[in-house]
Amino acid sequence: MKSFSESYKEAGVDVTAGYKAVELMKSHVARTKIDGVISGIGGFGGLFAPNLKGMEEPVLVSGTDGVGTKLKLAFLLDKHNTIGIDAVAMCVNDVVCGGAQPLFFLDYIACGKNIPEKIADIVSGIADGCVQSGCALVGGETAEMPGFYPIDEYDVAGFCVGMVDRPKIVDGSKLAEGDVLIGLRSSGVHSNGFSLVRKIFGIDENTIHNTYDELDKPLGETLLTPTKIYVKPILALMEKVEVKAVSHITGGGFYENIPRMMKEGLTAKINKDAVPVLPIFKVMQRVGNISEHDMFNTFNMGIGMIAAVDKTQVDLALQVLKENGEDAVVLGEVISGDDGVIIE
């Protein structure tokens, strides 16, 4: 007998919708299968056997995050197939900062009503993010929570595990005065600062369709652009160049994230004119009358990842990144001091 509860359905939870959602997402999950995956979805745990060959001392690196209030834009636009990329990106971009290859990912989707096609759309984006970062989607959870979430809303979070050989961990310990900071461009606002973004534009069902001369797409489409995933170019860079430190520019912008990769006695000096500020940030600053400091303290401003390398390896680093699809820029250098970061 198939599982079904009329009483539970009357309480707002349709277990059959959950089964349908799983069936619809199976093809997306299959796209993410890599060596090491030894279980399919549907069990009580995802099984993964990592390849430890050539590793002296394997170290697991984990990360977890959500998408935040960027989800409000997905609701307004009724577009759900890219938000999963953001969920993956926020986790794998953190994990790769330590030099780790992401291995597997699990998602958690909580919703007011399980609409199988919508859940499958969300998972399709999660699968896209996993493919982009070379990790496997080995499981997840969809929780239907009527009365807790509105029926047309949901939340998405994720969890990623990666692995790095201990001698290859990137932790900033080798940073030195004179090292050069290289910036990898962002795709947009990514998944941070959206409470301020929504306040600036008064985001609702009408304003989300506004157009601005500086933007080549309507406001909502521009803001919903998924977070860029940097795993493959950063790992390729680490193969050819000694990367001493990496910072993922997320919530808190430059002022909170860059100091996280600096060691005591060293400061990151950023040349403000070298930052390729995206048009969306210029529009936000103008419309919201936001100070330059607050912009750099909240948003990525056009740079989603920063890597520190020896000054003798800058040209090689830029070349490797270009070969891996990144038009990177030299942002500044490491100097002595305990300011964390200076932008001038």
Side-chain angles (χ1 to χ4, degrees), residues 75-92:
F75 304 156
L76 288 169
L77 291 174
D78 195 24
K79 181 176 172 58
H80 311 285
N81 63 345
T82 63
I83 210 73
I85 299 175
D86 293 286
V88 175
M90 298 307 297
C91 299
V92 297

Side-chain angles (χ1 to χ4, degrees), residues 154-332:
Y154 56 84
D155 194 13
V156 182
F159 174 82
C160 174
V161 172
M163 187 169 64
V164 61
D165 201 4
R166 193 181 190 100
K168 295 183 178 180
I169 291 176
V170 177
D171 59 6
S173 60
K174 296 180 181 179
L175 269 177
E177 185 176 1
D179 286 341
V180 174
L181 303 172
I182 294 175
L184 283 68
R185 298 170 190 262
S186 69
S187 57
V189 184
H190 285 182
S191 301
N192 308 103
F194 271 85
S195 293
L196 178 55
V197 171
R198 291 185 299 115
K199 178 178 183 292
I200 289 171
F201 294 110
I203 295 288
D204 59 22
E205 63 273 11
N206 296 312
T207 57
I208 199 168
H209 299 292
N210 285 352
T211 58
Y212 295 87
D213 291 340
E214 298 95 329
L215 306 180
D216 58 6
K217 294 185 291 187
L219 179 63
E221 290 183 46
T222 300
L223 292 173
L224 202 59
T225 301
T227 304
K228 192 172 186 179
I229 292 176
Y230 299 96
V231 171
K232 292 181 179 179
I234 286 291
L235 290 178
L237 181 65
M238 290 175 176
E239 285 290 318
K240 301 288 181 67
V241 174
E242 182 184 19
V243 177
K244 298 186 178 184
V246 180
S247 178
H248 182 200
I249 309 303
T250 56
F254 281 49
Y255 285 106
E256 284 190 24
N257 290 293
I258 297 176
R260 294 168 66 182
M261 76 175 190
M262 307 304 296
K263 68 178 184 180
E264 188 175 352
L266 294 176
T267 292
K269 182 179 180 181
I270 302 293
N271 175 9
K272 184 173 58 180
D273 293 335
V275 178
V277 179
L278 291 171
I280 183 60
F281 296 114
K282 296 176 182 178
V283 174
M284 286 163 51
Q285 185 172 7
R286 171 171 56 80
V287 173
N289 192 28
I290 308 296
S291 71
E292 184 176 76
H293 176 275
D294 285 358
M295 291 296 294
F296 276 93
N297 209 145
T298 308
F299 303 110
N300 68 63
M301 300 302 285
I303 292 293
M305 190 80 81
I306 296 176
V309 303
D310 187 274
K311 60 185 177 182
T312 63
Q313 293 193 297
V314 172
D315 289 342
L316 176 58
L318 293 173
Q319 178 186 331
V320 172
L321 289 170
K322 186 174 183 178
E323 290 170 353
N324 286 272
E326 296 293 331
D327 181 19
V329 297
V330 174
L331 290 177

Side-chain angles (χ1 to χ4, degrees), residues 15-78:
V15 294
T16 60
Y19 305 145
K20 183 178 179 181
V22 170
E23 287 302 313
L24 290 174
M25 68 177 71
K26 279 184 176 179
S27 63
H28 300 300
V29 175
R31 293 192 286 121
T32 75
K33 188 172 182 179
I34 60 174
D35 290 344
V37 176
I38 56 176
S39 67
I41 60 171
F44 290 100
L47 304 180
F48 191 93
N51 182 0
L52 305 180
K53 292 179 181 178
M55 286 202 169
E56 297 178 26
E57 192 176 350
V59 175
L60 296 179
V61 183
S62 60
T64 186
D65 209 338
V67 180
T69 62
K70 184 175 184 176
L71 288 169
K72 289 285 188 181
L73 282 77
F75 304 156
L76 288 169
L77 291 174
D78 195 24

